[in-house]
Amino acid sequence: MFARIVTSFFITCVAAAGFVAATEHLAVAQTPATAAPAPLPPPKPEMTEQEREKNLTAKQLFGAVQLPSIGKAVAIGYYPRGCLAGGVELPINGPNWQVMRLSRNRNWGHPTLIQFLEKFAPLAAKATGWKGILVGDLAQPRGGPSPSDHSSHQTGLDVDIWFMPMPERELTREERNTISAINLVAEDWKHLNPETWTPEHVAFIKTAAQQPGVERVLVNAVIKKELCRVVKKQPHDWMAKVRPWYGHHDHIHVRLRCPAGSPNCRAQEPVKGDDGCTGKELDSWLSDKRLRPQITKPAPPKKPPKPMMLADLPPACKTVLESPARNTSFANDKR
Ligand SMILES: [Zn+2]
């Protein structure tokens, strides 16, 4: 059953290969061509710390760090421009969760995010009847921008959780790096895929949005529209937090609000009280103008945006990057 879902999703994804956001969770396995080994280049002189920070982008610097900084956990800056001190690792297996994409080493977060997941996993399992949840990216060990995929997830307060139930058995390392998440949206990006969408997905999203400390739950606009239809006649205060966003057809993105003890964590503007089901906003997400870049390949930007450097992040992030590493018992065996 599990394998069948995976296969059918893979086909869907191939059909939608033009949608750039659909590639977020697709791991492309490439077999290197066999060739005679090239002679090794002469060793480069080591860069000093200052030279590294000046010449390398923030994502190269933060992406190269394998372990968290020592000290108290603090979320610093804004979700798409910040970092994380004293990050904590989510164990790769829990009673109701398994972490995917282990080779990325992005299962780190602020302790409030780890506690959220430990609490949410059994609640989601109960609400949906699933065995548990599949957890995608949290943050890098010290947060910051990452070499691929996300512009947010930098402060250790964001997590992606797949729309696919956790299987009964423990997935292998290989499977966790290669299996694709199921897509709940049809190929036209205007309707749900009846083969993958289930009523349990409503319970899953609702449970996430109802947890204390949750600031936003991002889903594809098609999914938001269906939620609006389903919950119309029931109380649904939680719906205000469920917001449409690009992609998010194969996972939810849960964002927690700034925790206590992180004075330099910048809060996102709170959601307005309305459920977001009426008015122009939701419809505009499904308009041809907004959908086109998802269906056809968007034109490449005229000038690539200037890469984010360490100096573009809050000054405390330099200290986080340069701090000694805390050795943890979990930080191994992911490759
Ligand atoms: Zn995300």
Side-chain angles (χ1 to χ4, degrees):
M1 171 66 180
F2 182 63
R4 193 182 63 76
I5 293 175
V6 170
T7 315
S8 84
F9 174 63
F10 182 74
I11 293 162
T12 315
C13 266
V14 169
F19 174 29
V20 69
T23 59
E24 177 172 358
H25 290 300
L26 295 181
V28 181
Q30 288 183 344
T31 321
T34 353
L40 288 173
K44 281 194 189 143
E46 282 276 311
M47 264 198 262
T48 65
E49 198 62 46
Q50 284 91 335
E51 281 170 340
R52 271 172 58 79
E53 290 175 5
K54 229 180 103 203
N55 293 313
L56 299 183
T57 60
K59 64 181 174 186
Q60 288 172 319
L61 293 169
F62 279 90
V65 184
Q66 298 294 311
L67 290 168
S69 63
I70 50 164
K72 180 173 154 294
V74 188
I76 299 160
Y78 197 44
Y79 304 94
R81 192 180 285 263
C83 61
L84 169 69
V88 176
E89 188 171 29
L90 177 73
I92 61 171
N93 293 309
N96 304 97
W97 76 82
Q98 294 185 36
V99 176
M100 304 300 283
R101 302 292 184 261
L102 299 178
S103 60
R104 297 184 189 215
N105 194 26
R106 293 190 200 160
N107 56 325
W108 301 83
H110 188 276
T112 54
L113 185 64
I114 308 303
Q115 285 153 17
F116 160 79
L117 284 162
E118 288 169 349
K119 203 172 134 225
F120 172 67
L123 290 175
K126 200 169 163 215
T128 55
W130 299 351
K131 168 94 174 130
I133 57 170
L134 294 177
V135 181
D137 287 354
L138 285 73
Q140 300 176 122
R142 301 187 192 198
S146 57
S148 60
D149 295 339
H150 303 290
S151 58
S152 64
H153 291 245
Q154 294 192 23
T155 57
L157 299 171
D158 295 285
V159 58
D160 292 337
I161 309 169
W162 291 22
F163 280 131
M164 191 152 78
M166 183 182 100
E168 292 286 327
R169 67 184 175 85
E170 191 181 312
L171 293 167
T172 64
R173 299 276 185 284
E174 169 72 13
E175 285 170 325
R176 296 185 200 217
N177 282 331
T178 52
I179 285 172
S180 299
I182 52 164
N183 182 357
L184 302 186
V185 179
E187 284 173 41
D188 66 359
W189 296 101
K190 289 189 175 185
H191 299 91
L192 286 171
N193 179 350
E195 299 211 347
T196 52
W197 171 260
T198 66
E200 287 75 40
H201 288 110
V202 179
F204 173 68
I205 298 164
K206 178 180 173 182
T207 307
Q210 283 179 323
Q211 297 315 301
V214 169
E215 182 64 49
R216 297 275 197 287
V217 177
L218 305 179
V219 298
N220 188 279
V222 173
I223 296 171
K224 168 88 187 186
K225 197 164 184 178
E226 174 67 4
L227 292 174
C228 288
R229 190 188 69 78
V230 174
V231 305
K232 199 156 74 183
K233 296 198 176 118
Q234 324 160 355
H236 56 272
D237 290 356
W238 54 274
M239 271 292 271
K241 289 185 182 170
V242 181
R243 313 297 299 177
W245 200 252
Y246 297 103
H248 299 90
H249 50 285
D250 56 13
H251 68 276
I252 53 170
H253 173 130
V254 178
R255 169 168 295 172
L256 302 188
R257 72 172 67 106
C258 283
S262 292
N264 294 325
C265 176
R266 194 182 125 202
Q268 184 167 17
E269 206 181 312
V271 289
K272 290 183 237 127
D274 73 277
D275 62 9
C277 292
T278 47
K280 286 190 188 135
E281 197 206 339
L282 185 54
D283 286 340
S284 83
W285 277 98
L286 299 167
S287 67
D288 284 339
K289 197 172 149 212
R290 227 161 175 180
L291 279 176
R292 202 171 303 125
Q294 301 188 35
I295 297 169
T296 60
K297 212 170 180 175
K302 286 194 187 82
K303 219 169 110 194
K306 206 175 139 281
M308 199 182 281
M309 305 301 282
L310 184 60
D312 297 321
L313 296 173
C317 291
K318 183 170 153 64
T319 314
V320 169
L321 194 66
E322 291 170 355
S323 292
R326 189 184 75 236
N327 262 307
T328 81
S329 54
F330 291 123
N332 52 40
D333 208 20
K334 281 192 235 163
R335 278 155 214 283

